[in-house]
Amino acid sequence: MSEEIFKKVVSHAKEYGFVFPSSEIYDGLGAVYDYGQNGVELKNNLRQYWWKAMVQMHENIVGIDAAIFMHPKTWKASGHIDGFSDPMIDNKDSKKRYRADQLLEDKITKYEKEGKTNKAEELQAALDKVTLDNDLAGFKSLIEQYEIACPISGTRNWTDVRQFNLMFSTEMGAMAEDADKIYLRPETAQGIFVNFLNVQKSGRMKIPFGIAQTGKAFRNEIIARQFIMRMREFEQMEMQFFVRPGTQKQWYEYWKETRIKWHKKLGLGDDNYRFHNHVKMAHYADDAVDIEFNYPFGFKELEGIHSRTDFDLKNHQELSGKKMQYFDAELDENGKAYGNYIPYVVETSVGLDRLFLSVLCASYKEEEVGEGDKKDTRVVLSLPAILAPYKVAIFPLTKKDGLPEIARKIIDELKFDYNCFYEEKDAIGKRYRRQDALGTPFCITVDHESLENQTVTIRYRDTMVQERIPISKIREILASEVNWSKLLA
Ligand code: ATP
């Protein structure tokens, strides 16, 4: 995958109604995007894939949907008010702002691309050290030492590196003087922590158990780039798994393996995933790893798996004055009940938009088709059938002779279970191509023969093979191909 393909994916996403820049008529809003009519379907299906795998397939994991607004003390307890910041630096000539660590990471990627492995490793080690020490002057001297120039102005005229808090704030309350400053959540996890006992008690959950949630999160990212990779409003899918203290390492390993398998099941290529261990832990973690995906612009974080210790629950207990403890009646090896404790937490956190982007990039293909003067390029999204925005498109060959009526009848039978697309305009070849570009796995064409013998042509997206089948068999084919168990089993 190359940068050039990435540009094509971005324009394909717009042209085919997957992703639009937000408020485009006003020239857009930085790092904010809207999902279009096909994007929303794919996104919903990806969310469902996650939800099914995490909640439906695990007896000991349940879901919640917490509010975006939370009591401001939440963010004090979680450490976000004091510690959720990135090192930023400005170029004095272009007046552009950058994340100091990202400028250095870009340099590492450049070295890797040029085959300068030693240089890349040397800089990575230096970057790890300054990151670990949160050494702002250290970032600056690395930027100087490695002669990093502003991509816009081309100069090395930099300001000092400063900390920048990523949380958005707003005010709650009608009167300005009474209003309280509140934050838009920068992660969904805290909604789970503050509800830990509500869920545990009302659901009679026994440790180990998990709480899952999907929803919007907001971060005032210093620099927005790479399309929906780094957004200021995005969606997370997080699961906090509550475990007995001392068992976190074992569960951390379990979730690492489980999550990477889940990604690989999508069939985008096993080599496109790798683990990247964190050297610098977030303020709450005692172990952390990223699952990285091979995007067209290089391997980048897609999901984080963090062993969060009892950091969050302990701090919420302290700040709220409410006990966040679990009573464990099970007996240890000495026959004594474990008793009361604050559970440890292993978290899995994946960005839905980054997942969407990984699927879009890896399934976008340009294929040479036809021969001689019929030679052509087709664009196809080879999505897993169950994730495709439309599962089947039904085309009457012509607009008359009763063919639309048969097509409509087929849709009426399928629409309760499958998202169907109907189209009667344009040549069949053109209609097929449009569905390829959306990733629709099956097209059904109704023609004059259908009137006589109740058969239709089914055309498969990936092979482009066309077959004559009885109308009564359509359901059977769809049921065997468009199936969650293909991804979940
Ligand atoms: P990064 O290092 O790329 O900023 P992070 O380590 O801050 O990411 P986490 O706080 O671990 O990210 O968040 C969990 C997941 O949420 C990430 O793996 C990513 O998929 C997603 N995510 C985080 N920030 C963004 C963003 N600005 N836009 C889109 N997705 C995001």
Side-chain angles (χ1 to χ4, degrees):
M1 275 186 270
S2 66
E3 293 275 359
E4 199 195 326
I5 286 284
F6 185 52
K7 277 197 197 128
K8 288 186 177 170
V9 168
V10 175
S11 59
H12 187 84
K14 186 172 168 210
E15 191 182 342
Y16 284 91
F18 284 92
V19 183
F20 307 125
S22 160
S23 338
E24 198 183 6
I25 55 166
Y26 297 105
D27 296 331
L29 183 65
V32 186
Y33 289 90
D34 298 337
Y35 285 81
Q37 68 279 20
N38 295 310
V40 70
E41 297 289 344
L42 175 57
K43 192 179 178 202
N44 285 344
N45 294 338
L46 285 166
R47 193 190 296 104
Q48 239 192 313
Y49 173 40
W50 185 86
W51 192 267
K52 281 178 185 287
M54 300 302 273
V55 179
Q56 209 166 319
M57 298 290 126
H58 286 95
E59 276 177 26
N60 58 348
I61 300 181
V62 292
I64 62 164
D65 182 15
I68 287 172
F69 291 142
M70 298 186 71
H71 194 286
K73 276 190 184 168
T74 308
W75 308 111
K76 185 75 192 157
S78 68
H80 283 85
I81 288 179
D82 299 322
F84 191 56
S85 49
D86 281 335
M88 71 174 180
I89 190 166
D90 294 354
N91 182 269
K92 290 181 194 162
D93 299 319
S94 67
K95 308 269 184 279
K96 285 278 171 201
R97 180 159 288 174
Y98 298 92
R99 250 174 81 173
D101 55 335
Q102 275 173 5
L103 283 175
L104 292 159
E105 270 173 21
D106 288 350
K107 189 80 176 177
I108 295 170
T109 310
K110 191 160 171 272
Y111 283 145
E112 280 171 348
K113 277 194 182 150
E114 292 166 356
K116 296 180 181 160
T117 320
N118 287 348
K119 275 275 194 203
E121 283 172 4
E122 177 192 287
L123 179 52
Q124 184 71 60
L127 175 59
D128 287 345
K129 178 148 185 7
V130 292
T131 311
L132 195 60
D133 300 341
N134 201 18
D135 174 4
L136 299 183
F139 282 111
K140 174 83 183 275
S141 48
L142 283 179
I143 286 171
E144 283 169 346
Q145 187 189 331
Y146 285 85
E147 301 184 344
I148 293 171
C150 167
I152 307 288
S153 68
T155 71
R156 289 192 265 133
N157 193 7
W158 296 109
T159 62
D160 284 340
V161 177
R162 285 159 295 153
Q163 289 287 14
F164 177 78
N165 194 297
L166 300 182
M167 279 200 293
F168 283 100
S169 63
T170 184
E171 281 167 4
M172 184 175 258
M175 312 286 279
E177 55 273 25
D178 300 336
D180 277 325
K181 183 171 176 181
I182 57 164
Y183 297 93
L184 278 84
R185 65 180 178 199
E187 61 174 24
T188 57
Q190 296 305 323
I192 291 179
F193 287 121
V194 299
N195 278 299
F196 154 68
L197 279 183
N198 283 338
V199 174
Q200 189 270 318
K201 291 198 167 125
S202 58
R204 303 196 302 148
M205 307 299 290
K206 268 204 181 140
I207 269 181
F209 73 91
I211 305 177
Q213 160 161 242
T214 71
K216 285 283 175 86
F218 305 83
R219 295 184 187 178
N220 198 1
E221 297 282 359
I222 294 171
I223 174 159
R225 50 183 201 173
Q226 285 149 349
F227 193 38
I228 54 172
M229 184 71 195
R230 188 167 297 285
M231 302 157 90
R232 296 201 166 100
E233 173 179 341
F234 58 99
E235 190 163 338
Q236 287 187 315
M237 307 194 286
E238 297 198 298
M239 192 277 301
Q240 323 299 131
F241 202 67
F242 299 90
V243 306
R244 217 172 255 159
T247 62
Q248 68 271 24
K249 185 81 194 155
Q250 155 204 340
W251 285 111
Y252 174 72
E253 294 303 329
Y254 169 84
W255 283 110
K256 255 177 84 172
E257 289 316 311
T258 306
R259 293 302 303 151
I260 201 156
K261 265 196 208 147
W262 180 91
H263 285 286
K264 288 182 176 173
K265 268 272 182 178
L266 285 168
L268 309 181
D270 288 5
D271 292 347
N272 281 327
Y273 299 90
R274 72 179 187 195
F275 285 119
H276 175 252
N277 285 311
H278 282 216
V279 182
K280 184 201 174 196
M281 303 298 157
H283 53 274
Y284 49 75
D286 73 352
D287 229 331
V289 68
D290 294 337
I291 295 176
E292 293 186 335
F293 183 76
N294 188 14
Y295 291 97
F297 38 83
F299 272 97
K300 295 279 177 243
E301 173 175 346
L302 164 62
E303 169 154 2
I305 296 154
H306 311 121
S307 175
R308 282 181 89 128
T309 67
D310 57 356
F311 177 90
D312 302 85
L313 289 179
K314 202 164 74 191
N315 284 353
H316 283 307
Q317 173 168 297
E318 220 167 276
L319 221 71
S320 67
K322 308 273 167 22
K323 282 253 177 297
M324 287 300 214
Q325 295 186 351
Y326 171 81
F327 179 73
D328 192 335
E330 278 190 30
L331 306 180
D332 65 15
E333 61 271 22
N334 303 317
K336 229 176 108 222
Y338 283 98
N340 277 313
Y341 56 80
I342 297 179
Y344 270 47
V345 171
V346 175
E347 158 185 272
T348 72
S349 173
V350 56
L352 179 50
D353 311 273
R354 287 192 190 178
L355 177 67
F356 185 103
L357 186 59
S358 70
V359 170
L360 205 60
C361 289
S363 59
Y364 177 92
K365 304 211 167 95
E366 290 179 357
E367 290 177 359
E368 294 283 327
V369 290
E371 277 174 11
D373 54 359
K374 291 245 170 74
K375 225 171 167 176
D376 193 11
T377 311
R378 74 158 182 159
V379 170
V380 57
L381 288 187
S382 54
L383 300 168
I386 190 75
L387 298 181
Y390 290 97
K391 310 304 184 230
V392 57
I394 322 276
F395 305 143
L397 188 64
T398 62
K399 282 188 220 168
K400 45 185 204 273
D401 303 333
L403 303 187
E405 285 73 8
I406 298 182
R408 294 275 183 210
K409 205 165 152 245
I410 295 173
I411 290 185
D412 283 345
E413 276 173 26
L414 297 177
K415 70 183 178 194
F416 302 102
D417 300 310
Y418 304 101
N419 206 15
C420 304
F421 190 95
Y422 176 84
E423 192 169 51
E424 54 185 30
K425 268 217 313 262
D426 293 334
I428 281 291
K430 243 190 181 169
R431 289 186 246 174
Y432 284 158
R433 286 284 193 281
R434 267 202 295 272
Q435 295 307 312
D436 289 344
L438 299 182
T440 310
F442 306 102
C443 293
I444 305 277
T445 302
V446 176
D447 58 16
H448 291 91
E449 204 184 319
S450 311
L451 292 169
E452 288 159 24
N453 61 9
Q454 298 293 301
T455 62
V456 287
T457 301
I458 185 165
R459 186 250 192 198
Y460 298 87
R461 176 195 69 197
D462 296 334
T463 57
M464 294 191 288
V465 164
Q466 299 185 22
E467 265 177 353
R468 196 87 206 167
I469 56 161
I471 291 175
S472 57
K473 217 180 149 205
I474 299 176
R475 229 174 207 288
E476 201 182 301
I477 294 177
L478 286 187
S480 74
E481 293 297 321
V482 183
N483 200 319
W484 279 112
S485 64
K486 281 199 182 291
L487 288 182
L488 293 169

